[in-house]
Amino acid sequence: MSGNLKQFRIVLVCFLSLFVGSLSAQTIKGTVKDNSGEPIIGATVMEQGVQGNGGVTDIDGNFTLNLKGNTKKIKVSYVGMKPQVVNVAGKNSLKVTLDDEATSLNDVVVIGYGSVKKKDLTGSVATVSSAALQAVPVANAAEALTGKMAGVQIMTTEGSPDAEMRIRVRGGGSITQSNEPLFIVDGFPVESISDIPANDIEDITVLKDASSTAIYGSRGANGVILVTTKSGKSGKVKVSYNAYYSFKKIAKKLDVLNARDYTTWQYELAQLKSGESISNYEKFFGSYQDLDLYDNVATNDWQDITFGRTGHTFNHNVNINGGTDALKYAFSYAHMNDKAIMLGSNYKRDNFSLKLNTKPTKNTTFDLQARYSMTNVRGGGANDATSTYDSDKRLKYSVIYTPFPINNLNSDSGSGDDDLGNLYNPVQSVYDNDRLQNRKNLNLAGDFGWEIFDNFTAKTEFGYDLTSNYDKRFWGTTTYYVKNVPASENQNMPATQLQQTDRHSFRNTNTISYDFKKLLNSKDHSLNLMLGQEYIINKERVNTNIIHGFPVNYMAEDAWRLSTQGTPYMIRDYYYPDDKLLSFFGRANYNFKDKYLLSATFRADASSKFSKENRWGYFPSAAAAWRISSEPFMKGTSKWLDDLKLRFSYGTAGNNNIPSGQLTQVYENNTTSWINGISNYWAPSTYMSNPDLKWETTITRNLGLDFTLWGGKLTGSVEAYLNTTKDLLIAFPVSGTGYDYQYRNMGKTENKGLEASFTWHAVNAKNWGIDLNGNIGFNKTKIKSLGMMNDFGAESYWASSEIGNDYWIAVGGSVGQMYGYKSAGRYEVDDFTGYDATKKKWVLKSGIADATNVVGQIRPGSMKLVDQLTVDTDGDGKPDAGDGKIDTSDKTIIGNANPDFTGGFGINAHAYGFDLSANFNFSVGNDIYNANKIEFSTTGKYQYRNMLSTMAAGNRWTNLDPATGLITNDPTKLKELNATTTEFSPYTDRMVFSDWSVEDGSFLRLNTLTLGYTLPQLVTNKMGINSLRFYVTAYNVFCITSYSGYDPEVSTMRRTNLTPGVDYSGYPKSRQFVIGLNLNF
Amino acid sequence: MKKYIKLSILALSLAGLSSCDMDAPNQSSLDPSVVGYTEKMAESAIMGIHQSFGETNSYRGRFIPYYGMNTDVEMINIPTLAQTPDGGKNDLCAYNATPNNTLMNTSNNAYAKFYEGIERANMVIDAIKQYGTPASRPEMAQLLGEGMTLRAVLYLDLIKGWGDVPARFEPISSNTMYQERTDRDSIYVRLLSDLKEAEDMMPWPNDNDKTKNVERVSKSFVKGLRARIALYAAGYSYRADGTIRRSNAPALSVDNMYKIARDECEDVINSGKNKLGDFKTNFTNLCMDKTDAGNESLWEVPFSDGRGRVLYTWGVKHNAKDQYTKQAQGGVNGPLPYLFYDYDNKDTRRDITCVPYDWSNEAKAKQQLRKVNKWCFGKLRYEWMGRIVTSTNDDGVNFQYMRLADVYLMAAEAINQLSGASDAWGYMEPVLSRVLPAEKVATLKNKYTANKDAFFNGIVEQRGLEFAGEQLRKADLIRWNLIDDKLAEAKTKMQALRTRTGAYADLPGSVYTKTATDGETLIIYGLNHGETDDAGANLVSLNGYEKTSWLEPDSKTGVLKIDDDLINGLYINTPSTHAIWPIWQTFVDNSNGKLNNTWLGF
């Protein structure tokens, strides 16, 4: 090691000595500053006409240059600033002031396996810079993108600190499979970017069309998100320290019935259910005459008890970076500790990263990078979207649990399958469903670049990524799991699952690139060529231990520490088949007179997920751009039009997003507790193998127009696209054949849309400025074909199997179509001929459809549903009448989770050291399936549950005659009692999904609002500090929406991709306030 | 030159990398060759078939609770015309099942899970035949036979449930994925030959370790099952051509089939490997999870103690978690109101089969009178179990698929058909003499052995009394083509019962009850033929009995205890043509156009 270091130093010394040289005819000394007077570090100073004579400015912006040639001109340049050529004839010292590049046209944009100047882009690419990321602190890099990029929809599915971010680039083409984009961090494909601190990020680029994603070939179909982390910059050591402290509270609570009203309703419900329900009621609440005792009963605000605490977060990070031209380094450490708003919920993360960029010789580069992150997520009761056991979605109890303690309410009070009426103390629910996740990620990468001869560079990169996730779950005595899964001797005793997942990825990429400028030797033509090859292998292993039968008083901590106290149920080490990907790719960029730009990309991928015959996928694409503003005929516009570029691209990208190992049917071993005398069995997987699987392919067409006006004051772009995905990889339902599903290539989807974005530097004065930016994206998604099928249903299962299919996937529709009944309000007294005392039921008038099969025994006030036209009475082949009863044939499409358009806008202003930024995001036209509303306002088969105050007395239909305390069946009386009520009676037999619970989820949210103050340089300089900024930020400041639930940005049933937009028992969102500082020295 | 050297090195290194092996074999899994060769693995694969029995909506939660209703002895508690059609359980039981039935039309329904079990059986059978050398390894042959037998069980129940169904006897491939319905005759032929082959590979009960337990297949069960299949194959059923008839296939002639049934049943009985014990003991053993082979039970679906809804649906109802169970279930299905009264007063099967009470809603529960329209089956009782059920959803009692009494009565039925009543009596007698006094048996002998028809009617009667609540009746009535008659008769009998006329004229209008000194047993007077309200009134005044109006109409409202709603709700379509369930819509939709229910009218 030390030997290596020594050699390294020698190389460094040699390298530095290159710049020393010997004094000759003319020596120029100078300083380079920006227009605020700040020295520019690392600006390049080159003598014109002499190859290789130049240097960079030091930390004070100074340079020294010995002129060797005769032009007497030097060129000073710096990224993001206008280069200047200065005549130095006869001078030996000078001051150069570089102006900011008025436009961002020369910004370098990272694209796959390389980068390109923004003005030379031909594809559809969106970028968020570090400046934008830094201005507002976020825990999660993806969060920073919210509302910032047209066509990129980012949704936080819940309010928990580790909530999944759902990212969709232009809708997504897959149906059953994930539509997550491909995440690439510094060239390395990763599972998620949530463990990267925002402060470490240099920029985030989203590749949207195939001409840009095709270089990622196989996996680019859903877009590519490229994250580049910060590298060292040569110059003096820079240290930046950022810290913030935040506190947060639940953003919205739902009102529930008060004690008296709750008790009254329980009485009415017991009367309606009749029989034993009445004696049970009396056991718990006393007699009807005693109802007034509940007027002053103290109630528990369970929402406040479970989510009401003030969460707080402390987050700080330090970045150290600097170096010389030959060796640049960047080190960062970040720590975050988030105590969330819910009981027992917190989040902790530590990140380290080190990046070294070296230039051992003139024509070689050698870079090393290491990133390490440690995340602990403690989540008691958080909604586990993939849980098999629906009753574990338990945050609902904080709404429906009895508002005051009921002494005798014990497990005998249950109904049907669920004891206790499926009602548990919310606090115990939380602790009985505890979870702790320890995630560790180590990423190591190195690359070596070598300019073998002029303009010909070869680069080889190696990377290794290790992800380890230790996930501990705990099921306490109130969970469905412990009541049903363990063998009987261990039933009703706590259980735990300890699961260790290890994932190793290795990547090797080799590229060569050649710039043909020497060969072409022309001012007008330029051609670049890049060829590459890549190999990636992923290995994954999951070790699962499930232990049942812990002592009943054990809490999560006890069970995790003392695992031998339980009885092992399953010990399984599962090794997945390796996932290998071998690729060859190439790209050519051609540019004629900076006016006509052409680029072509080709990638060939071989995936081990497919058989030899279908292994290779070929993904070509091409793009052309025409810089109209450079045409002679546009001369007249040059005063106000800096740049106008028309782009068109066409290309293909692929997708192999299915689990590996689908090619042959093999035996898997599974644990079981269902069969006497055995604990495991061999059986084929429930997915039938399919040796014929092949790549899913997306073809994208993109037309874009970029413009820059008024000296860069206004920039923007408008784009239109049409994406079609064919040979969809679908988990096809084949039940009835012996298997449940089979992965197949079938069907076709289409996404088309329009996007626009702009940035306007409205004011850019010396001491103040205002920038406005905005973007909007319209996307329309459509299923063109489902192969041999026309349609199929999907279940969200939030109410177990009570509701059945509540999503409908059909040709001509889209994923996210909600499927249920149309509400017709409630049955009024006039819908009935009267009450039949012998049959003990209300008799409907003829022509009024009977909803008994769906709602349960009906009477005035019961929920009423629309009887769809299903019967053809006149024989014209078209249904023209209802069948008089409500059943599954009356279900229809009642909502769509897909928004019409989404976007965001923001304002950034600064004046005399103060800065202000506000970022809004919005979504319009999407529906939300408010399952909470159903469960919180109707009884289903349950008793003793509380309800939302929308169902308070006076609102809900009542059947209770206050004079007698009994259910009345007198039509006039019922009419009179309900003259002013508006809602139906909450009493139902089961949960019913109708459009009554489908709500418009459109919203406009002021996502962040920040006010900062940067101390004047005069002050900070004295303190030896470069800059110091204090700020306050508020998150989720307000949200304008008509949605009645906790928050319109929600999607909690994520077991399959087919049921988006369900709001059920989720972790509520919070409102957060932050104070922080940015310090640089 | 140097350039080219550099370039070629580069090219070489690229070429080297591109030759990577791109195959990614499965790791934590086994190839059929290993499973088929290794005894332990093959056995474990057989258990994979059982797993399919236990899946949520398979035998466990759908077939066992809903198949077999309603008959002249069994009904869902309580069928009502008012709630039919309900798209759900009433439709299933009242001969009105539609392809969209809400309980059944799910992709994980019994229909799918039966085929999952069949695929698992096909795979393990194929693997043992290919790699297990069963010819020279009896232990592998036994597993092969077990696989074939379980497959036959699944096919038999598929045919019972859905009529003609796709036949798959090889592991599925993309070519065989979609199949039309196969005529049930050809499946029967295949099953009979499969079981013939399996018979020789299976040891008798207790002949080796694996047959010491009725949760594993023995020769007795294979033979019994083959006899049952033969009787069904020879019997009537509603066919795809819209007729109700026996098979036209000469191979499945009554003569051929009844000979198979006779021979197989005689083999089992003559082997002496299983013994008819006490009637009640069979059920207490079942409740106590006693699964030793050699007794009456021949094979049971081996639900573990935390899985299955057998007692949950077919047992005596408990209204609360109490001293006998921490699961308040039971009483989902029950006997028809008159069944109790159809037994002889002295028939010990009566009080075991029909229970007029449930357990009160108390932690220390006691028996409390139910209603005459709401009896419980009593063959399964939480109070007979050796353990306390704790699961909220499953009781863990095995499903007894076949018992020796069935073999006796099948033998009697076959022999009566082949050679007459007097030869057959020898096989019916042991079943009756264990439950009835000798003189009653003698009376029945006289009645039944009068001629062939009389004996057949005796079989019809006794199978109903013997197996009520064991899900055999519906298939029996169908194969005899008696389902329409018997269900119509059931309505008449209920009419007679509620008016206390005909066979029920000697019953009192009320029953008189008292809790015994043990604090939980209900002593009941008034259920036996010949008991009177007068004597009951005496018990009230002298012995502290409580009077509950039972058969007589409500004294105030005049409402009948067995109302028209129940009687007319027993079936709402002709049972014989609506006994077969349609293949659920989801499977029709998934069938690539190969499946339909047109012959059933959908």
Side-chain angles (χ1 to χ4, degrees), chain A residues 802 851-856 934 938-941 988-992:
Chain A
E802 265 188 19
T852 308
N853 291 344
V854 177
V855 178
I934 305 174
T938 56
T939 59
K941 60 188 174 191
T988 58
D989 263 10
R990 57 185 72 81
M991 301 295 168
V992 180

Side-chain angles (χ1 to χ4, degrees), chain A residues 276 279-280 283 411-412 416-419 450-453 456 458 480 483-484 486-489 491-492 508 510-512 532-533 535 539-540 573-582 584 606-610 612 615-616 660-669 671-678 680-686 688 691-692 732-742 744 788-789 791 795 797 801 808 838 841 852-853 857 885 888, chain B residues 3 6-7 10 13-14 17-32 35-36 40-42 44-51 54-57 60 62 82-83 85-87 100 102 106-108 111-113 115-117 119-120 123-125 127 168 172-174 177-178 215 289 291 302-307 309 312 319-321 326 328-329 361-363 368 387-394 396 398 557 559 586-587 589-590 592:
Chain A
E276 278 158 10
S279 59
N280 283 339
K283 205 159 75 182
S411 53
D412 297 347
D417 296 352
D418 308 283
D419 62 350
W450 181 16
E451 189 171 359
I452 302 172
F453 43 85
F456 183 91
Y480 181 94
K483 289 168 199 288
N484 291 287
S488 66
E489 66 270 21
Q491 271 174 8
N492 298 308
N508 170 239
N510 302 295
T511 53
I512 48 173
Q533 168 274 335
Y535 180 69
K539 289 168 179 286
E540 186 170 345
D573 223 355
Y574 190 85
Y575 290 83
Y576 284 91
D578 293 346
D579 176 9
K580 303 177 194 173
L581 190 75
L582 175 66
F584 295 94
S607 166
S608 62
K609 289 177 182 176
F610 304 119
K612 261 201 175 70
R615 190 163 282 161
W616 286 95
S660 40
Q662 299 298 325
L663 301 176
T664 51
Q665 205 73 56
V666 289
Y667 276 97
E668 287 177 352
N669 197 260
T671 302
T672 180
S673 61
W674 292 354
I675 307 167
N676 259 344
I678 63 145
N680 67 80
Y681 64 95
W682 285 98
S685 138
T686 54
M688 185 178 168
D692 303 325
F732 183 75
V734 297
S735 57
T737 61
Y739 295 90
D740 294 346
Y741 295 98
Q742 183 187 39
R744 290 194 186 171
M788 61 175 69
M789 282 188 297
D791 47 16
E795 285 185 71
Y797 285 111
S801 53
W808 200 251
T838 47
K841 62 199 244 185
T852 308
N853 291 344
Q857 186 80 267
K885 59 179 200 295
T888 47
Chain B
K3 282 182 195 171
K6 287 174 182 172
L7 265 178
L10 208 76
S13 65
L14 284 175
L17 280 161
S18 61
S19 63
C20 298
D21 173 21
M22 288 302 290
D23 289 320
N26 290 290
Q27 300 193 60
S28 291
S29 55
L30 285 180
D31 200 64
V35 172
K40 207 77 209 152
M41 305 283 178
S44 226
I46 295 284
M47 293 303 155
I49 306 170
H50 284 145
Q51 181 75 10
E55 293 285 347
T56 303
N57 291 336
R60 176 258 178 195
R62 289 295 182 269
Q83 283 173 33
D86 67 345
N100 285 312
T102 52
T106 58
S107 58
N108 62 359
Y111 179 86
K113 293 295 143 182
Y115 274 106
E116 181 185 279
E119 170 70 4
R120 289 175 181 184
M123 276 184 76
V124 69
I125 289 167
R168 283 199 188 88
I172 202 164
S173 71
S174 23
M177 187 141 185
Y178 295 112
E215 296 181 333
D289 307 323
T291 54
F303 290 123
S304 75
D305 50 12
R307 196 69 186 170
R309 284 185 168 183
Y312 183 106
N319 286 297
K321 297 185 178 179
K326 296 297 162 210
Q329 292 294 349
N361 184 4
E362 289 164 294
Q368 60 184 21
R387 57 187 164 86
I388 298 283
V389 176
T390 51
S391 162
T392 47
N393 277 299
D394 294 79
N398 282 352
T557 61
V559 173
T586 178
F587 307 117
D589 292 346
N590 284 354
N592 198 16

Side-chain angles (χ1 to χ4, degrees), chain A residues 321-339:
Chain A
N321 107 46
T324 63
D325 222 25
L327 171 69
K328 291 176 226 162
Y329 56 86
F331 167 79
S332 98
Y333 165 71
H335 170 81
M336 148 158 202
N337 194 348
D338 181 356
K339 183 181 144 202

Side-chain angles (χ1 to χ4, degrees), chain A residues 437-590:
Chain A
Q437 299 170 75
N438 276 307
R439 291 200 282 260
K440 297 192 180 99
N441 176 256
L442 174 68
N443 185 290
L444 299 171
D447 64 72
F448 179 68
W450 181 16
E451 189 171 359
I452 302 172
F453 43 85
D454 279 352
N455 300 319
F456 183 91
T457 309
K459 194 172 177 185
T460 180
E461 296 171 49
F462 287 91
Y464 173 73
D465 190 85
L466 169 65
T467 311
S468 148
N469 185 6
Y470 190 39
D471 183 355
K472 299 196 275 194
R473 295 207 54 170
F474 173 77
W475 292 284
T477 51
T478 60
T479 54
Y480 181 94
Y481 182 90
V482 304
K483 289 168 199 288
N484 291 287
V485 179
S488 66
E489 66 270 21
N490 293 321
Q491 271 174 8
N492 298 308
M493 293 153 94
T496 181
Q497 172 183 291
L498 312 170
Q499 191 170 65
Q500 171 71 44
T501 307
D502 291 323
R503 196 177 305 116
H504 304 260
S505 309
F506 173 78
R507 161 185 178 252
N508 170 239
T509 309
N510 302 295
T511 53
I512 48 173
S513 55
Y514 185 64
D515 187 337
F516 283 80
K517 63 185 168 193
K518 217 170 175 183
L519 279 178
L520 291 170
N521 198 17
S522 152
K523 265 189 170 174
D524 294 339
H525 303 276
S526 93
L527 177 65
N528 285 299
L529 194 66
M530 187 268 291
L531 289 173
Q533 168 274 335
E534 187 167 55
Y535 180 69
I536 297 174
I537 178 166
N538 285 299
K539 289 168 179 286
E540 186 170 345
R541 161 246 190 190
V542 181
N543 181 257
T544 310
N545 300 300
I546 300 179
I547 305 156
H548 292 163
F550 284 96
V552 283
N553 58 346
Y554 268 34
M555 301 289 287
E557 297 291 351
D558 307 316
W560 293 338
R561 275 186 296 114
L562 305 169
S563 60
T564 51
Q565 285 282 289
T567 312
Y569 167 66
M570 177 165 109
I571 299 168
R572 180 164 86 157
D573 223 355
Y574 190 85
Y575 290 83
Y576 284 91
D578 293 346
D579 176 9
K580 303 177 194 173
L581 190 75
L582 175 66
S583 320
F584 295 94
F585 51 86
R587 177 169 55 211
N589 286 324
Y590 171 75

